[in-house]
Amino acid sequence: MKKIACLHAHHSNIFYIEKALPFANCMHFVDPGLVHRVTTDPKFAAESAAAKVEKQLKWMEECSADAILLTCTNYIALLPEAFTSDIPIIKIDEPYFHRICEIEEPQLIVFTNPETVEGTMKRLDEFAFYQNVKIKVRPVVIEGAFELVMTGNLKKYKQKVKHVLHELIKEHNTVVSVAQLSMVEAAEEVSDRIITPLQPLAEEVRKTIIRS
């Protein structure tokens, strides 16, 4: 069984990745501190954050992994473009972005963590540009939800996400997707038409580890 080293910003993501990738042996590395410092400490330079991510990936690479999976958009955004690895690096948002770029009609992307919106939308715009496609996407933030995750109140978090997704589907005749793994379970219970990052991920990981 191929070994995937996964880097998360929050331990709750482990459940979703294990569920999506039963065909791989996943090793999990969790570092919430970096994202917290980047978003709260203006004196912490982007170069220092990038160096921290690069050091973490090098450590993961040395753990006999066949591939690395980054599940946090902020980590992906901090990764230096010049960074090279001896093993494939899978960025969770890229197969998700590819799915979004296949849709011509207006879309809503729902977030619970406001700190990930800017980085995700910037990467999505860049991805669409290089794919030479035009997309009509508007981000929506569920206010007050992410604090529930950080305090471990996952049941209330799920209820809040489900309620907002129900309302968005009812009020808007458009495609809806969720940008974060913590929202996947709620999205699946609301509608199988909601796009999630996990839907295209398994196929991408399969293709990557077969090639490696």
Side-chain angles (χ1 to χ4, degrees), residues 115-126:
E115 300 296 341
T116 64
V117 177
E118 182 178 358
T120 300
M121 297 305 294
K122 181 180 178 182
R123 279 184 48 78
L124 174 58
D125 287 340
E126 292 173 350

Side-chain angles (χ1 to χ4, degrees), residues 72-123:
C72 173
T73 303
N74 280 344
Y75 284 137
I76 295 169
L78 289 169
L79 184 64
E81 288 188 15
F83 179 80
T84 59
S85 173
D86 293 333
I87 60 176
I89 296 179
I90 304 165
K91 301 170 183 177
I92 193 171
D93 57 5
E94 289 188 349
Y96 171 62
F97 289 164
H98 192 274
R99 177 71 60 87
I100 289 172
C101 287
E102 293 175 335
I103 301 169
E104 297 181 357
E105 61 188 283
Q107 304 176 60
L108 298 177
I109 297 185
V110 187
F111 297 80
T112 55
N113 183 356
E115 300 296 341
T116 64
V117 177
E118 182 178 358
T120 300
M121 297 305 294
K122 181 180 178 182
R123 279 184 48 78

Side-chain angles (χ1 to χ4, degrees), residues 13-76:
N13 287 347
I14 293 174
F15 167 78
Y16 301 106
I17 295 301
E18 290 281 352
K19 182 180 178 181
L21 308 178
F23 53 85
N25 178 12
C26 296
M27 296 186 297
H28 299 285
F29 300 78
V30 183
D31 184 4
L34 179 59
V35 171
H36 175 75
R37 188 169 181 190
V38 167
T39 55
T40 60
D41 185 357
K43 297 179 181 179
F44 190 58
E47 293 80 6
S48 300
K52 178 67 169 63
V53 172
E54 189 168 348
K55 183 178 180 181
Q56 177 71 64
L57 293 186
K58 285 296 184 184
W59 162 245
M60 293 166 66
E61 188 180 65
E62 293 170 0
C63 293
S64 303
D66 297 295
I68 291 173
L69 171 61
L70 302 180
T71 68
C72 173
T73 303
N74 280 344
Y75 284 137
I76 295 169

Side-chain angles (χ1 to χ4, degrees), residues 66-67 88-90 203-212:
D66 297 295
I89 296 179
I90 304 165
E203 181 181 354
E204 180 67 21
V205 171
R206 281 187 187 275
K207 290 191 296 186
T208 299
I209 62 179
I210 286 173
R211 291 195 299 262
S212 66

Side-chain angles (χ1 to χ4, degrees), residues 81-209:
E81 288 188 15
F83 179 80
T84 59
S85 173
D86 293 333
I87 60 176
I89 296 179
I90 304 165
K91 301 170 183 177
I92 193 171
D93 57 5
E94 289 188 349
Y96 171 62
F97 289 164
H98 192 274
R99 177 71 60 87
I100 289 172
C101 287
E102 293 175 335
I103 301 169
E104 297 181 357
E105 61 188 283
Q107 304 176 60
L108 298 177
I109 297 185
V110 187
F111 297 80
T112 55
N113 183 356
E115 300 296 341
T116 64
V117 177
E118 182 178 358
T120 300
M121 297 305 294
K122 181 180 178 182
R123 279 184 48 78
L124 174 58
D125 287 340
E126 292 173 350
F127 188 89
F129 175 79
Y130 286 113
Q131 294 287 318
N132 196 29
V133 297
K134 293 184 178 180
I135 53 175
K136 303 171 185 176
V137 179
R138 180 167 67 88
V140 175
V141 178
I142 303 178
E143 300 292 344
F146 196 66
E147 290 82 351
L148 297 172
V149 172
M150 300 307 291
T151 56
N153 197 340
L154 299 182
K155 184 176 180 180
K156 192 171 182 180
Y157 172 79
K158 182 179 174 181
Q159 291 172 343
K160 189 177 186 71
V161 172
K162 287 178 66 174
H163 172 74
V164 172
L165 291 177
H166 272 297
E167 292 299 309
L168 288 174
I169 290 174
K170 185 168 64 175
E171 295 174 8
H172 301 273
N173 183 25
T174 188
V175 176
V176 175
S177 68
V178 295
Q180 296 156 221
L181 289 180
S182 61
M183 307 169 72
V184 168
E185 196 170 21
E188 291 175 342
E189 292 183 13
V190 171
S191 171
D192 58 7
R193 295 172 56 194
I194 298 175
I195 300 171
T196 80
L198 283 188
Q199 291 166 353
L201 178 64
E203 181 181 354
E204 180 67 21
V205 171
R206 281 187 187 275
K207 290 191 296 186
T208 299
I209 62 179

